[in-house]
Amino acid sequence: MISITLLSFIFGMQEVKAQGPPIFTDTPIMLGLEGRGIRTFGRYINKENVKVYLQPFAIPYNLTAKWQVGTIVPFASVSPEGGDSRFGLGDIKVFTKYQLVQKDGKGKTFRSLIKITETFPTGNTEKSPPIGAGVYQTSVGLVNGYVTTRYGIYTEVAYNIVFDDRPDNLIYNIGLGVPLLPQNYPPKQINVFLEFTGNYFPDSKSNHLFIAPGIQWINGKRFLLETGIQLPLVEEVSEGLKTNFIYTLGTRILLF
């Protein structure tokens, strides 16, 4: 059992050299910089009538080579146009991932996992503007990835159940990643990504779809830096709530 886990870890590190995890789409690989570490990023959301800054801290932990648990603790600053700004703790999330499929080949791997996320209404909604959504949410999804030394393709589909008669939504993301530098060890790599991130709301039959280019720098097996921007392609929302852009800058650190 120890030898299998060790081999899986080594293979995971080889994949990190070739291809880091996508920036906006989840990854089915749970080793290296994708597991047992910390991820934090600043996300600036520029809407017509409000500006939002988010600083989440995500901490995944691998219980086994196939089973991961984690939490996401976000802090948010909300600045409405013509109103007072507010800062505080947002809605905390806990998640679990379990790998369903792993098929490895020479210089390539396909993996698939199920992911369940529970969102707790910890953000203050008693004052305006609210910091959180104010409702419990449960998301169940499937994450897939086909990764080679030349490229990686990732997909994520999840159904998000929102309680208190709020509308549910379907999450659908897809990402393509390409490493730009030759493979070496210790890993030093630049990856570029093109991703599409979407939400579909069945009740209103409305759709939100963003295109999201990004770039990622890996320096060694324990650290990466990444940045990207999301631009709306389709966003069916009320006037004043439309998104101009969403900018993200963050890092992932492998702790042990």
Side-chain angles (χ1 to χ4, degrees), residues 22 30 67 73 77 85 108 135 160 169 189 192 196 202 207 245 253 256:
M30 297 187 293
W67 185 17
V73 180
S77 174
S85 299
K108 61 185 177 180
V135 292
N160 189 45
N169 62 92
Q189 186 57 264
V192 292
F196 294 87
N207 192 43
F245 65 89
I253 301 172
F256 53 90

Side-chain angles (χ1 to χ4, degrees), residues 26-30 66-70 94-102 110-117 138-145 155-159:
D26 207 344
T27 174
I29 298 172
M30 297 187 293
K66 293 187 176 183
W67 185 17
Q68 183 184 91
V69 296
V94 295
F95 65 85
T96 183
K97 298 179 179 180
Y98 188 80
Q99 189 175 88
L100 302 174
V101 178
Q102 176 176 340
F110 172 80
R111 303 193 187 185
S112 180
L113 61 80
I114 186 171
K115 178 181 178 182
I116 301 174
T117 304
T138 302
S139 173
V140 180
L142 187 68
V143 180
N144 301 303
T155 63
E156 177 184 4
V157 178
Y159 192 80

